[in-house]
Amino acid sequence: MQIRPTPATLGATVVDVALADIDDNDWSTIQAAFLDYGLLIFPNQNLNEREQLKFAKRFGEIEVLAEGYTTIPISNKDERGEFYATNSDRMQQLRGNEGWHTDSSYMPLSAKASILSAKIIPATGSSTEWADMRAAYAALDPTIKQKIASLNAYHSYFYSQAKLGHKVEVGYGYGFFEGESPLHPMVKIHPVTNKPALYIGRHAGQIVGMELAESEALIDELMSFACQPPRIYTHQWGEGDIVVWDNRCLLHRAGVYDYSQERLMHHTRIKGDPASEAALNA
Ligand code: OGA
Ligand code: MN
């Protein structure tokens, strides 16, 4: 197995390994690289759903994303093979994924890791991008570090989608901030590496003890600073590629593509550890 770091502060491409068939030695190497690089890209693995789930289970317990699904299709086509309408809930969810976020931060237990594999990719291309929130935190001005050290923010899917003009129906997401939305520290200490990372993203809006406008301005400022080279890495998908990333210290976003062409990804999400990923108010 060869691990090739990207030129950015995060991410590595892993080659000369058959992921469907790894032993415990390979797993130790992969696990250590996952903690170091935050993002691992395995080109051209062509895992089936069972193999993807088996690999995902190496990282921990699986988060159920929709009733009955441990791995879900992320696609712009429905089960009948029809493209979703532009204003459909599904397309609005997909467009939502184009904003920097960390998975399930709006849930009582946020995600540890996520796995995404490419099944069908538009001929004109499709990408996903990741940003390193450890490097971002490390590069912050000491006065900003001090300012955010003890700040907590509410994360809400209702909020992040509403900003895009998408009204999430009651019962799907969580309430709008105070009371119901999960609350997370803006600086997250990684439970394994102990490295601090900015923990924000598009679901974070309201900071406790601040006006909404002031909260949004601070989060915007931090996000624009954080999601810049050398802290970002873009992967152009090839069919059969599979990637895994650490949601505890990275943000990600889907690249815009030609929605008149089919894109099908398989997504598996690994649950956070209740000791470190439960919301402060869960
Ligand atoms: C996700 C996600 C990005 C993509 O599935 O959580 O953000 O490129 N996907 O599809
Ligand atoms: Mn996501």
Side-chain angles (χ1 to χ4, degrees):
M1 186 180 344
Q2 284 190 59
I3 297 170
R4 299 179 181 152
T6 74
T9 61
L10 75 166
T13 303
V14 188
V15 296
D16 294 342
V17 60
L19 263 199
D21 196 27
I22 53 168
D23 60 21
D24 288 346
N25 255 345
D26 297 328
W27 168 244
S28 315
T29 307
I30 291 169
Q31 193 180 26
F34 168 76
L35 292 169
D36 269 2
Y37 298 107
L39 163 71
L40 298 179
I41 297 162
F42 301 87
N44 204 26
Q45 291 284 337
N46 297 293
L47 299 194
N48 64 31
E49 226 177 290
R50 184 182 48 80
E51 291 164 337
Q52 175 161 331
L53 186 60
K54 188 173 167 211
F55 178 57
K57 284 180 174 168
R58 291 268 188 181
F59 291 87
E61 263 183 73
I62 306 304
E63 186 177 325
V64 174
L65 292 164
E67 222 182 297
Y69 284 90
T70 44
T71 292
I72 55 159
I74 308 267
S75 178
N76 54 340
K77 271 188 172 180
D78 65 20
E79 305 77 42
R80 300 178 324 234
E82 311 270 353
F83 284 106
Y84 287 103
T86 307
N87 62 351
S88 59
D89 272 359
R90 178 58 64 91
M91 276 318 287
Q92 299 198 75
Q93 288 165 13
L94 295 182
R95 297 309 302 264
N97 277 347
E98 293 167 2
W100 289 110
H101 65 282
T102 181
D103 286 337
S104 299
S105 68
Y106 51 83
M107 299 290 277
L109 184 64
S110 59
K112 176 194 281 185
S114 291
I115 291 178
L116 202 57
S117 64
K119 301 294 168 188
I120 300 171
I121 292 298
T124 47
S126 151
S127 63
T128 304
E129 193 165 25
W130 289 266
D132 185 349
M133 295 296 110
R134 308 163 299 185
Y137 178 80
L140 286 176
D141 196 274
T143 55
I144 302 205
K145 281 187 181 165
Q146 201 171 20
K147 177 173 178 179
I148 63 174
S150 55
L151 294 181
N152 300 314
Y154 289 104
H155 291 239
S156 162
Y157 189 72
F158 183 93
Y159 165 79
S160 51
Q161 288 301 99
K163 279 208 293 195
L164 305 176
H166 179 209
K167 192 175 179 305
V168 176
E169 293 304 323
V170 174
Y172 183 89
Y174 281 81
F176 196 80
F177 300 138
E178 282 88 348
E180 288 178 71
S181 293
L183 187 62
H184 293 286
M186 291 179 68
V187 181
K188 181 174 176 69
I189 305 300
H190 194 286
V192 185
T193 66
N194 286 317
K195 279 193 188 163
L198 274 178
Y199 192 78
I200 43 180
R202 72 188 192 97
H203 307 306
Q206 177 76 63
I207 297 168
V208 177
M210 269 188 200
E211 293 297 324
L212 181 57
E214 193 191 351
S215 301
E216 287 178 323
L218 177 56
I219 291 168
D220 279 356
E221 181 193 332
L222 290 168
M223 300 260 288
S224 338
F225 171 78
C227 302
Q228 294 290 337
R231 298 180 283 273
I232 50 177
Y233 184 73
T234 308
H235 179 60
Q236 296 294 339
W237 289 101
E239 288 178 354
D241 296 354
I242 184 166
V243 311
V244 58
W245 69 88
D246 192 334
N247 279 303
R248 300 167 295 190
C249 56
L250 263 51
L251 294 181
H252 63 282
R253 64 174 177 182
V256 175
Y257 62 96
D258 176 355
Y259 308 115
S260 71
Q261 298 180 52
E262 183 175 10
R263 181 188 196 251
L264 172 62
M265 313 293 286
H266 276 181
H267 179 96
T268 314
R269 206 170 279 183
I270 294 97
K271 275 189 194 173
D273 180 343
S276 41
E277 277 70 64
L280 297 170
N281 56 349

